[in-house]
Amino acid sequence: MRDIEGEGLALRIYIGERDRRGGQPLWQALLTLLRERGMSGCSVFRGLAGFGANAVVHTEQVLRLSIDLPIVIECVDTKAHIEAVLPAVDAMLDGGLVTLVPVRVITHRPHDTARTAGAAPEE
């Protein structure tokens, strides 16, 4: 795992749940791309409601058959790694919103498997 700390960027990609790329959900294709490009980690969030550039509100309603809820893919990494992947991300998008937010990384480490398995912490 690549160690990151200090100043970095948060890449946020806003798309719709129904967006697709190559026969799969776009969020899944983007997540695969970001992992293959060695990003330090990414998360995908499904929104309860939202609207985009067309100002159409998308919300989850019991009687609604066609749901296109907002999806946000967020990835935090160094400025160099984020900027290197931006052209590939842009090429995959037909619409949506991409933002970059400066962040300060305090901690980035894998889970301690001994600790999460219920072992007592060492003193």
Side-chain angles (χ1 to χ4, degrees):
M1 175 182 83
R2 212 169 22 86
D3 187 31
I4 62 169
E5 64 179 48
E7 302 306 311
L9 288 176
L11 167 64
R12 291 190 187 129
I13 307 164
Y14 298 81
I15 59 173
E17 187 174 31
R18 290 190 312 182
D19 294 340
R20 301 191 71 76
R21 175 76 176 188
Q24 66 179 338
L26 179 57
W27 67 262
Q28 192 173 13
L30 286 164
L31 192 67
T32 299
L33 168 77
L34 295 165
R35 186 168 188 262
E36 288 172 350
R37 295 291 181 96
M39 294 295 109
S40 65
C42 296
S43 296
V44 178
F45 303 95
R46 183 176 185 236
L48 298 175
F51 67 91
N54 64 8
V56 174
V57 175
H58 301 277
T59 183
E60 186 172 300
Q61 297 174 349
V62 175
L63 299 177
R64 189 169 175 185
L65 297 176
S66 176
I67 297 175
D68 190 21
L69 294 175
I71 298 286
V72 178
I73 301 107
E74 183 165 337
C75 183
V76 174
D77 210 311
T78 64
K79 181 179 178 183
H81 274 85
I82 296 289
E83 289 180 347
V85 78
L86 285 177
V89 168
D90 185 54
M92 294 179 76
L93 300 177
D94 290 329
L97 173 68
V98 177
T99 64
L100 296 176
V101 180
V103 295
R104 191 174 104 207
V105 178
I106 305 299
T107 303
H108 177 251
R109 62 178 172 245
H111 287 284
D112 180 347
T113 55
R115 187 176 208 179
T116 58
E122 294 182 24
E123 295 191 28

